[in-house]
Amino acid sequence: MKVLNAPFVQSFAKLCDDGWQLRFHERNGGNLSYRLTDADVELARHEFNTDRPWTEIGTDVPTLAGTYFMVTGTGQYFANVLAKTMETCGIIEIDETGKRYRIVWGFTTGGRPTSELPTHLMNHAVKMAATNGAHRVIYHCHPVNVIALSFILPISDAIFTKELWESMTECPVVFPAGVGVLPWMVCGGRDIGVATSEKMKKYDVVIWAHHGIFCSGSTFDETFGLAHTVEKSAMGQDDD
Ligand code: 2HA
Ligand code: ZN
């Protein structure tokens, strides 16, 4: 089977397109990563190219040593992922120290993984441990109502959780642990990754004030559904 037709690649690209359709991804905003199963790796290995160099991740993720991730590329537009999956996305392998990665598939026109790779991988490490390996998907998007809410509400886990739970009956069921909220921070580096992964020990959703959402789940549907539910609930807020 061509890797492009593998179910995990198709689902990955579909999530990107769904996010684009819902206007969660202006320009190159947002990023997605998926930890491959052993079966995914076996299915894809015949197209892996291991000639590319090892590159520093910028953080340490020792528990992810030897694992593989499909990731969106830095500077790439979610609008293009469905039509140009191999140019806009790739599969990376984490080395045996958890400090470096190399591209083994995709990024055919010279691309590189998302600028938020340190945060994605630190979140994967936390969620893999917290869910006994069940969580495989980390998704970051820029949904407008969640961003707007972070200009209005105090930056507090408890207040955001209460407001989001109250505005839609489904919410306490969809995110029973609530949501974490971080104040504005410089994105794309280790510090925001450490802060986000601390919150991810408790929550499946972390809101970056004035920026967007990070969320975690077992499947593409569940993870995208979580972001969508939080955004829809944020849209239901009024100013009382
Ligand atoms: O442009 O969303 O947070 C990608 C991003 C950075
Ligand atoms: Zn972003």
Side-chain angles (χ1 to χ4, degrees):
M1 179 193 280
K2 283 183 101 155
V3 175
L4 204 49
N5 296 327
F8 76 90
V9 175
Q10 296 280 312
S11 299
F12 186 103
K14 179 180 180 292
L15 185 155
C16 292
D17 199 62
D18 288 346
W20 160 243
Q21 300 290 343
L22 286 183
R23 305 176 181 217
F24 291 177
H25 301 278
E26 77 294 337
R27 203 172 180 278
N28 62 322
N31 21 78
L32 175 65
S33 62
Y34 165 73
R35 184 166 52 84
L36 274 65
T37 63
D38 291 345
D40 295 330
V41 175
E42 285 326 305
L43 196 146
R45 199 185 284 287
H46 69 284
E47 287 183 29
F48 285 177
N49 169 359
T50 53
D51 294 341
R52 278 176 274 196
W54 292 103
T55 305
E56 299 294 321
I57 295 167
T59 191
D60 284 18
V61 281
T63 58
L64 301 181
T67 58
Y68 292 81
F69 291 87
M70 183 159 180
V71 294
T72 50
T74 183
Q76 300 292 345
Y77 291 28
F78 267 50
N80 295 332
V81 169
L82 202 53
K84 296 186 173 179
T85 309
M86 283 187 78
E87 290 89 335
T88 55
C89 303
I91 297 173
I92 60 170
E93 176 185 2
I94 309 298
D95 77 355
E96 70 281 2
T97 65
K99 289 181 168 40
R100 300 182 307 163
Y101 74 86
R102 68 180 170 191
I103 296 165
V104 296
W105 183 89
F107 294 129
T108 51
T109 50
R112 288 183 289 116
T114 166
S115 59
E116 303 293 2
L117 190 65
T119 295
H120 276 259
L121 294 180
M122 282 186 266
N123 285 349
H124 275 293
V126 164
K127 296 313 272 190
M128 191 174 81
T131 66
N132 237 331
H135 278 205
R136 296 188 172 273
V137 183
I138 301 282
Y139 174 49
H140 170 55
C141 58
H142 297 169
V144 67
N145 293 288
V146 169
I147 296 169
L149 205 57
S150 72
F151 283 94
I152 297 169
L153 292 182
I155 305 303
S156 144
D157 297 0
I159 293 171
F160 267 74
T161 297
K162 178 172 174 293
E163 294 293 331
L164 291 169
W165 274 354
E166 279 178 2
S167 85
M168 231 167 53
T169 309
E170 292 279 294
C171 289
V173 181
V174 178
F175 44 98
V179 301
V181 191
L182 286 178
W184 185 87
M185 291 176 73
V186 175
C187 59
R190 185 171 181 279
D191 291 352
I192 197 167
V194 170
T196 308
S197 57
E198 271 305 310
K199 297 273 186 197
M200 280 285 184
K201 288 179 182 161
K202 180 164 179 199
Y203 306 111
D204 293 340
V205 186
V206 179
I207 294 171
W208 286 2
H210 322 321
H211 183 145
I213 299 184
F214 255 89
C215 56
S216 172
S218 305
T219 64
F220 291 101
D221 280 350
E222 181 188 288
T223 313
F224 186 78
L226 179 54
H228 189 197
T229 306
V230 172
E231 167 62 357
K232 207 170 160 193
S233 180
M235 186 163 65
Q237 296 289 321
D238 55 29
D239 58 4
D240 60 3

